[in-house]
Amino acid sequence: MTVLLSAFLGTAQAACGASAPQIGIALAFPAPGISHELASDEIPQAMRAHGRGARAGTVRQVGATAFTLNTEVRMSVAAAEQRRDCFRLKRLDIRLDVLQLDVFIASELAPGTCPYRVTMAHEQRHVDIYRAGVRRLKEELETALGGSTLLRAIPAASIEQAMERFRIAIDTIVSDARRKNSEEMARDNARLDTPSSYREEHARCPASDW
């Protein structure tokens, strides 16, 4: 999609000259909320409500982490100084807001017990995956947007048309980066949630404690 947009704008864009915008990307990553309200048989249903299925290979799910990321884009567009039929993106601001970061620990696990500590440590690793993933997304967006020729001055019949073209270009870059990043985080989480890792963690506590 990015290649097609670049080909569409490329020839006409060259006549407007180069004018890269100021770009700011802010990241808000809160501390996770901890919930002990759900029993182990209720956690899979809660995760499905968040668009996530139960973990593969588990009979009893005693922990889970729900994560939701929102991307907010704001931009400022103005007519280019050298040509009134050209418009430039003056400033682009993107906020990466983690709207939800909730760790669920089954109500059967009492705080301070071995199963509770093991489960909490496992979920903290998921939190770390999401934290690293969002930071990586921020860096990837800074690189992609900063080097994109799609955000240089463009020809347009009106500022509204220019804003729409910039919006399409930005949405394409952001959605591509988010899709790639989401796939990377999913792979990292899947490597953590395997039957062998669950067996290993389960073995860290006496069987009677579970």
Side-chain angles (χ1 to χ4, degrees):
M1 177 66 77
T2 302
V3 174
L4 292 175
L5 278 170
S6 183
F8 171 73
L9 292 175
T11 303
Q13 194 174 33
C16 289
S19 180
Q22 291 182 315
I23 298 175
I25 302 178
L27 166 60
F29 198 99
I34 310 298
S35 172
H36 308 91
E37 298 177 358
L38 300 179
S40 58
D41 59 350
E42 296 175 306
I43 289 178
Q45 180 178 353
M47 293 304 290
R48 283 192 291 271
H50 294 294
R52 297 167 176 81
R55 291 175 183 169
T58 62
V59 176
R60 178 168 171 256
Q61 189 168 349
V62 294
T65 300
F67 169 82
T68 305
L69 177 68
N70 181 65
T71 305
E72 181 182 348
V73 177
R74 294 184 179 181
M75 62 181 177
S76 174
V77 176
E81 289 81 1
Q82 61 272 38
R83 289 184 53 172
R84 307 311 293 179
D85 59 342
C86 293
F87 295 86
R88 63 187 181 92
L89 185 61
K90 292 174 57 180
R91 181 162 184 87
L92 172 63
D93 289 292
I94 297 178
R95 284 188 57 85
L96 302 176
D97 287 315
V98 177
L99 298 183
Q100 180 188 37
L101 184 64
D102 293 324
V103 171
F104 299 94
I105 305 295
S107 58
E108 299 97 308
L109 304 186
T113 62
C114 181
Y116 184 95
R117 291 194 300 271
V118 168
T119 302
M120 181 64 78
H122 179 99
E123 297 309 322
Q124 182 59 54
R125 292 171 69 186
H126 283 295
V127 171
D128 292 341
I129 286 172
Y130 289 125
R131 179 181 289 108
V134 176
R135 288 175 177 170
R136 187 167 60 243
L137 175 61
K138 180 178 183 292
E139 294 172 357
E140 291 170 352
L141 284 174
E142 288 171 342
T143 299
L145 292 166
S148 175
T149 59
L150 298 178
L151 304 187
R152 307 291 172 81
I154 62 171
S158 65
I159 191 170
E160 290 78 15
Q161 184 183 68
M163 290 183 69
E164 178 64 10
R165 289 181 177 177
F166 280 128
R167 185 194 62 77
I168 292 172
I170 293 164
D171 286 351
T172 299
I173 294 170
V174 171
S175 62
D176 285 350
R178 283 202 59 172
R179 181 174 60 254
K180 175 186 174 184
N181 185 261
S182 179
E183 291 170 352
E184 290 172 346
M185 289 193 294
R187 287 193 294 268
D188 290 342
N189 281 317
R191 282 192 286 267
L192 184 57
D193 291 332
T194 64
S196 61
S197 70
Y198 291 138
R199 286 194 296 269
E200 179 182 339
E201 291 176 355
H202 198 277
R204 294 176 186 171
C205 303
S208 58
D209 287 358
W210 293 98

